[in-house]
């Protein structure tokens, strides 16, 4: 699948612009998993999580047996892409030393996913990316932010409309605006 590559490509090009010239180091891996056998993140089980960025081990984990196929069925391919992009956003914020609370950092990650989406819409990486989306894909991404919820996610992440608002800011105002985003 070319999507993780494309998200990596985006952050490879964006990160020096938002980090005073530091280079982006690709995530160690993206790990699909079965929720019946959740992976470890550091010394903790990822049980109960469907999608996460594991800070100590520098990987994105995603349930490709139950949750993500359901997101795909309900929302389409760009729904899944949007949710994956939020996790790369969290990785970038972690690397930048973002100290915001969990809800703010989640919204900033959503905003960075919007910045990624704008890059795909604008097709502004033609040398390195061949990925395109249609206007309907944008709706899929927004739907994912509204619909994809686990137990306790509203408290942790903010209401669906707040996530869409953050994503929208990234699309319209660009990724740099996400670093100081406040709900």
């Amino acid at each position: 699948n070319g999507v993780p590559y494309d998200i990596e490509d985006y952050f490879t090009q964006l990160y020096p612009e938002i980090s005073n010239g530091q280079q982006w180091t690709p995530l160690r891996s993206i790990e699909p998993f079965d929720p019946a056998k959740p992976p470890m993140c550091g010394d903790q089980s990822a049980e109960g999580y469907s999608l996460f960025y594991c800070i100590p081990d520098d990987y994105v984990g995603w349930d490709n047996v139950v949750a993500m196929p359901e997101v795909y069925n309900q929302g389409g391919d760009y729904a899944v892409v949007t949710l994956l992009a939020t996790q790369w956003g969290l990785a970038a914020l972690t690397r930048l030393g973002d100290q915001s609370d969990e809800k703010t950092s989640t919204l900033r990650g959503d905003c960075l996913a919007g910045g990624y989406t704008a890059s795909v819409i604008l097709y502004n990486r033609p040398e390195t990316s061949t990925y395109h989306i249609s206007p309907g894909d944008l709706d899929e991404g927004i739907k994912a932010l509204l619909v994809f919820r686990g137990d306790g996610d509203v408290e942790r992440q903010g209401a669906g409309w707040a996530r869409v608002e953050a994503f929208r800011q990234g699309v319209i105002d660009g990724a740099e605006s996400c670093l100081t985003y406040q709900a």
Side-chain angles (χ1 to χ4, degrees):
N1 190 330
V3 167
Y5 167 81
D6 196 66
I7 298 171
E8 280 285 353
D9 179 65
Y10 171 73
F11 279 99
T12 297
Q13 295 188 40
L14 170 71
Y15 197 73
E17 296 173 21
I18 61 174
S19 68
N20 297 317
Q22 296 175 25
Q23 295 303 303
W24 175 259
T25 304
L27 295 187
R28 188 179 60 76
S29 65
I30 177 168
E31 310 230 349
F33 67 89
D34 181 336
K37 299 185 246 27
M40 296 297 287
C41 174
D43 58 3
Q44 292 189 310
S45 169
E47 186 171 351
Y49 285 86
S50 302
L51 176 68
F52 59 90
Y53 170 60
C54 176
I55 294 171
D57 300 325
D58 192 39
Y59 76 89
V60 170
W62 62 301
D63 164 4
N64 72 333
V65 174
V66 179
M68 287 302 142
E70 183 64 28
V71 169
Y72 179 84
N73 289 338
Q74 286 185 21
D77 58 346
Y78 204 72
V80 174
V81 173
T82 299
L83 293 175
L84 289 173
T86 66
Q87 301 309 297
W88 263 265
L90 292 175
L93 291 166
T94 300
R95 293 170 180 194
L96 288 167
D98 182 69
Q99 296 294 311
S100 60
D101 60 86
E102 187 173 28
K103 191 177 287 187
T104 301
S105 70
T106 295
L107 294 172
R108 289 176 179 177
D110 295 343
C111 182
L112 286 167
Y116 166 71
T117 300
S119 174
V120 174
I121 291 169
L122 296 170
Y123 196 60
N124 63 6
R125 295 174 286 124
E127 301 82 29
T128 54
S129 174
T130 58
Y131 189 54
H132 291 281
I133 61 173
S134 68
D137 288 324
L138 190 56
D139 293 340
E140 292 176 1
I142 289 168
K143 183 174 182 181
L145 296 172
L146 289 170
V147 172
F148 183 69
R149 287 294 206 237
D151 295 339
D153 279 352
V154 173
E155 290 78 25
R156 279 203 311 269
Q157 301 173 342
W161 63 264
R163 297 191 73 192
V164 170
E165 189 62 34
F167 178 81
R168 181 178 176 271
Q169 177 167 323
V171 170
I172 294 171
D173 295 333
E176 197 132 351
S177 74
C178 301
L179 305 181
T180 56
Y181 186 82
Q182 294 293 325

